[in-house]
Amino acid sequence: DAKTTQPPSMDCAEGRAANLPCNHSTISGNEYVYWYRQIHSQGPQYIIHGLKNNETNEMASLIITEDRKSSTLILPHATLRDTAVYYCIVRLGGANQGGKLIFGQGTELSVKP
Amino acid sequence: GAVVSQHPSRVICKSGTSVKIECRSLDFQATTMFWYRQFPKKSLMLMATSNEGSKATYEQGVEKDKFLINHASLTLSTLTVTSAHPEDSSFYICSAVTATGELFFGEGSRLTVL
């Protein structure tokens, strides 16, 4: 079973920040939080991941609470092309940790003009 | 970045026939690949773990004789849907793991069984 809980859908105005929450209250100390997104009829695309510190890359920022039981993915300036299903997944990271991902239902983000 | 390619991207077949879908890691070697299926408006469901040089590991409820997986080289895994039926129509997606644990997904293959 998936170890994460996300709202099923969210709307965001184009140009505004999109904040997507995720609960992972049973996360283990050595598990990372990963975010992927899936645009309709395509394979999932990696966005960002983190262990306990906040992370930022060219796509998004990841804010992880101090107790690591929840996190928020932030798309700072959402565009129409960011409309997709966003999946929050916890998994072991690093070399030799495998790649078995268990997907939850994700959040369907609709960016509106 | 690393690329994982699936072929074909779309396939239509008649009921009762078998269909093979390929998953290739184009610029890295992958000892482990994964196969998922996805129904419309649903999330990805892990079907099996494909291990190079050994038998695949199937998730509970997935028929291994129905979904044959072969991982004969470090860059290629194949999924064969045998005796396909309309209920096998789905979006099939593979992923591959690099030596450093990075994970990349293919573009997906949409199977329609008439």
Side-chain angles (χ1 to χ4, degrees), chain A residues 36 38 41-44 87 91 94-96 98-105, chain B residues 34 36 38 42-44 46 59 91 93 97 99-101 103 105-107 110:
Chain A
Y36 287 82
Q38 186 180 27
S41 293
Q42 297 182 23
Y87 294 100
R91 65 168 280 223
N96 301 318
K100 182 175 178 178
L101 298 184
I102 304 299
F103 285 79
Q105 294 307 307
Chain B
F34 300 87
Y36 295 82
Q38 185 176 32
K42 299 293 185 182
S43 185
L44 285 78
L46 179 65
E59 295 298 306
F91 194 51
I93 304 168
V97 188
T100 55
L103 183 67
F105 285 86
E107 317 98 317
R110 185 164 301 283

Side-chain angles (χ1 to χ4, degrees), chain B residues 3-22:
Chain B
V3 177
V4 175
S5 177
Q6 286 185 237
H7 177 81
S9 58
R10 290 177 179 272
V11 56
I12 300 173
C13 71
K14 293 182 179 180
S15 186
T17 61
S18 294
V19 174
K20 181 184 287 187
I21 300 170
E22 296 183 345

